[in-house]
Amino acid sequence: SAVISQKPSRDICQRGTSLTIQCQVDSQVTMMFWYRQQPGQSLTLIATANQGSEATYESGFVIDKFPISRPNLTFSTLTVSNMSPEDSSIYLCSVEGQGLTGEQYFGPGTRLTVT
Amino acid sequence: GQNIDQPTEMTATEGAIVQINCTYQTSGFNGLFWYQQHAGEAPTFLSYNVLDGLEEKGRFSSFLSRSKGYSYLLLKELQMKDSASYLCAGLILTGGGNKLTFGTGTQLKVEL
């Protein structure tokens, strides 16, 4: 499985500011995914990021609020813009495995608290 | 829409067997995954089923019935370290490729 790192691991931010989360993979992958996990909840897919194309956002998530970059096959960023306390959550990136089953492997997550 | 249901919490005894159920109603279903997530950590992949039947992997087994929209994760010889959240996720085939839709997760507590 791929080794995935995220920066920062945690942050405390003021409302109205923006935070960019980085996701780095140790191998080239076609698809990268960004999830949100609110306290005590399961994972919700924010968007799918393919290199060389615009990210595909799930219902309820928009590019203005969560802009995503995917400059190459090993890196992606997710920005949480104009933050409010409701954005306090863990943000995780994931990648598909090399097999054909479609399993995903997750980064360690970024714990964001908005005050 | 996509709908995946699991019990919220379960408690079991060390050394026992526990079965965590998952029911789903999804379109474009292309397989079912189970993940384990310890508090404060990322989910880790446990198992995958695409065909009906039982997949065994050590102390963990997973079962799928596509006709019934039903899966379960079976944990044998429970250990204290198995206390975690267990997430059922459906693999959905869309025009943009595969994506995972997660259930709410089942918080398992293993007691002495």
Side-chain angles (χ1 to χ4, degrees), chain B residues 49-74:
Chain B
N49 295 71
V50 65
L51 300 176
D52 286 1
L54 188 68
E55 295 283 341
E56 297 188 73
K57 191 184 292 186
R59 292 191 300 116
F60 294 2
S61 303
S62 57
F63 172 83
L64 177 67
S65 169
R66 294 178 71 123
S67 61
K68 296 181 179 178
Y70 168 69
S71 173
Y72 66 73
L73 180 70
L74 195 70

Side-chain angles (χ1 to χ4, degrees), chain A residues 31 33 35 37 40-43 45 48 50 58 90 92 96 100-109 111, chain B residues 6 30 33 35 37 39-45 48 87-88 91 96-105:
Chain A
M31 299 179 74
F33 306 86
Y35 289 84
Q37 187 172 29
Q41 304 293 315
S42 190
L43 283 76
L45 181 64
T48 302
N50 290 342
E58 296 300 304
I90 298 173
L92 301 110
E96 276 192 341
L100 300 176
T101 57
E103 81 273 14
Q104 292 180 18
Y105 297 94
F106 287 84
R111 184 179 296 271
Chain B
Q6 309 175 231
N30 205 25
F33 291 87
Y35 282 82
Q37 187 177 26
E41 299 181 10
T44 56
F45 169 69
Y48 169 71
L87 306 169
C88 170
L91 185 66
N98 286 325
K99 65 178 185 180
L100 287 179
T101 298
F102 282 84
T104 52

Side-chain angles (χ1 to χ4, degrees), chain B residues 36-39 80-86 106-109:
Chain B
Q36 179 191 61
Q37 187 177 26
H38 285 99
M80 298 298 288
K81 68 178 183 180
D82 296 329
S83 293
S85 180
Y86 290 86
T106 299
Q107 188 66 44
L108 174 66
K109 182 178 180 182

Side-chain angles (χ1 to χ4, degrees), chain A residues 38-106:
Chain A
Q38 294 178 305
Q41 304 293 315
S42 190
L43 283 76
T44 301
L45 181 64
I46 297 171
T48 302
N50 290 342
Q51 195 269 334
S53 63
E54 293 284 327
T56 303
Y57 288 82
E58 296 300 304
S59 175
F61 298 96
V62 295
I63 188 171
D64 289 346
K65 175 67 176 177
F66 297 101
I68 287 171
S69 78
R70 183 77 203 275
N72 57 53
L73 291 172
T74 63
F75 186 78
S76 179
T77 67
L78 170 77
T79 299
V80 186
S81 303
N82 188 25
M83 288 183 285
S84 67
E86 292 71 35
D87 294 320
S88 297
S89 186
I90 298 173
Y91 293 86
L92 301 110
C93 68
S94 74
V95 304
E96 276 192 341
Q98 297 299 317
L100 300 176
T101 57
E103 81 273 14
Q104 292 180 18
Y105 297 94
F106 287 84

